[in-house]
Amino acid sequence: MKPKILIIDDEKPIQRLLEIALRANGYHTIEAFNAKEGLIQVLTSNPQLILLDLGLPDMNGEAFLHKLREWSNLPVLILSSHDNEEMKIMLLENGADDYITKPFSSGELIARIKATLRRVEAQNNSCSIIESENLTLDIHNHTIHLNEEELKCTPKEFELLKLLMKHKGKVLTYNWLLKEIWGVGYQQEIHYLRIFVKQLRQKIEPNPSRPSRIRTETSIGYRFIG
Amino acid sequence: MSSKKIQLVKSFSLLAFITTVSLLFIDKLNLLNIAMLFMIPILFSALYNEKIEVLILSIIAVGLFDVLFIPPRFKITVHDSNYILSFIIMIIIGQIIVSLAQKASKLQELEMSRQIQDALLKSLSHELRTPLSIIKGCSSVLLENALSINEKEKMSLLKTIDENTEEMEQHITNLINSAKLKNGQLHLKKDICDVEEIISTALLKTEKNNVFASLDIDENISPIYANAIFIEQAIINLLDNAFKYGTDVKLIAKEEINAISIEVINSGDIPSQKEINEATQAFVRLSNSYTKRGLGLGLHVVKLIAQIHNASLLLSIKEKHFCAKLSFSKVY
């Protein structure tokens, strides 16, 4: 069955454009022009993913997420028109799954949607081995293999790569990563994280000064690409 | 010393000079001539100094004139009360000239900002309209001739649309940033940033079509205290320029004694040394840019970003290479 995607955006031309792009890539679309309509559509049409525009007339993105998260775990992809990093971080930490900044190409959008849907599915069948191209991570045995060769890693590096691979395609905020790996109270210690990311890049990136697997989202966090 | 202080010193020196000359030639000059001579420093000061400074200088000048030349000499009192009126007139003239001079300089400023706005409008209308007309042109061809053009032509038109939207986006980003940075409405959030990481994201956004910059980054370079988004934008602008106007792009990040420096170097079509002094002004485009489109805002934005970080931007030409160097003070 084709996955259903709910588009919540008050601008008609953008709605049309997204519809065409999504249908061409094999998705069903449902439209909503404001937040209220969107919430009703979530209940009645049972979509698999929500594309949420931030400039809605009746509710801001934060309020919408808050309402939605009271009863639903549906993945939400934010369409943000302004480059406001603090807003993005806030939404990511309040239940948004990812964001994409306008103007974007449809290729980028489809890639994000696919990654998000895949991630949700992967979380449902909790597999203990995560694979991505030439990289294999075994959660039970605490091992990482690159090109079938075992990669020596410290426990923290393992933990970091595990989180990144588990959430492949999703941007993980500095705060969230620090909390998951070091626990509460280390939220300011971004440089710890940077050191470990750097070490991991040295080990798994073909060209560490131009990282293609672990991307930096400036001021926000890191994203594992594949 | 600031230029204002220098002007004030000049005014007082002129007063001292006039007093000395008048004293030397006291036998040959009558009182009216001396009074006229004393107007010179007052008028000079009125042109270049602040109102209050002019007032002080005029009072001192009148005092000197009175004590040294008006009978009874070497006494503050005067025989003829008409002189008091002359003194007041001398002071009033100074004040009138100073307000006229201020008005004139305000008009000049207005004229300057009008010129900047003119330049803005001109380059905006040209540089934003060009990609826009290309986009409009392509999309209308696609719409109106959907059946008669082949797939290859279609692809090439679509690709042109895509490239030109990217160009517009870049212009708009620079425009918004320069407006934001200039108005100072930005409460800039600064953090400890990793130089290498910022460089790698900037490279990701600028290296296209398999053209790469060569890198020379000090291992374990110290972090800088900055707003990562803006520093990334600054490096993007420098790299964009280097790729657009030059060849053999090189990026060097170094740990110096008191600073962290990030330098972008390119060879190819190099502007003259004289020109680069103006390169960071808004809407200035150098002679090597005539065949290429641009707003002339790239380096200006880099300069503004450097300013809000107390960093320096140094443009220079070394052995036929154009170098743009950002230097940040170290975080301790």
Side-chain angles (χ1 to χ4, degrees), chain A residues 194 198 209-210 216 218 222, chain B residues 192 196-197 200 207 213 232:
Chain A
R194 287 217 179 93
K198 199 170 171 181
S209 56
R210 291 178 177 82
T216 305
T218 307
Y222 295 103
Chain B
I192 301 202
E196 227 182 319
E197 203 162 68
S200 73
E207 290 179 329
E232 184 188 303

Side-chain angles (χ1 to χ4, degrees), chain A residues 1-35:
Chain A
M1 203 188 75
K2 289 180 184 175
K4 251 189 273 177
I5 294 178
L6 171 62
I7 308 167
I8 311 178
D9 195 320
D10 59 324
E11 300 211 33
K12 266 220 165 97
I14 305 249
Q15 277 275 5
R16 288 289 92 76
L17 184 72
L18 291 173
E19 249 176 61
I20 294 170
L22 292 176
R23 288 204 179 138
N25 284 278
Y27 297 102
H28 268 307
T29 57
I30 313 159
E31 57 179 31
F33 289 95
N34 55 50

Side-chain angles (χ1 to χ4, degrees), chain A residues 83 85-86 102-103 105 174 188 190-191 194 197-198 201-202 208-211 215-219 222, chain B residues 169 187 189 191-194 196-197 200-201 203-205 207 212-215 220 227-229 232:
Chain A
D83 243 332
E85 268 54 39
E86 274 162 56
K102 291 180 196 169
S105 73
Y174 295 132
Q188 297 309 314
I190 297 175
H191 59 281
R194 287 217 179 93
V197 169
K198 199 170 171 181
R201 279 175 173 158
Q202 298 289 350
S209 56
R210 291 178 177 82
R215 286 269 170 85
T216 305
E217 297 287 335
T218 307
S219 271
Y222 295 103
Chain B
E169 194 191 343
H187 45 281
K189 204 175 146 254
D191 261 317
I192 301 202
C193 312
D194 187 77
E196 227 182 319
E197 203 162 68
S200 73
T201 52
L203 287 169
L204 192 75
K205 291 177 187 172
E207 290 179 329
F212 297 102
S214 62
L215 303 180
N220 300 320
N227 178 294
I229 300 279
E232 184 188 303

Side-chain angles (χ1 to χ4, degrees), chain B residues 210-237:
Chain B
N210 280 323
V211 183
F212 297 102
S214 62
L215 303 180
D216 180 1
I217 301 172
D218 268 1
E219 221 167 288
N220 300 320
I221 189 166
S222 306
I224 54 175
Y225 187 67
N227 178 294
I229 300 279
F230 276 106
I231 299 304
E232 184 188 303
Q233 188 63 49
I235 300 174
I236 286 175
N237 284 8

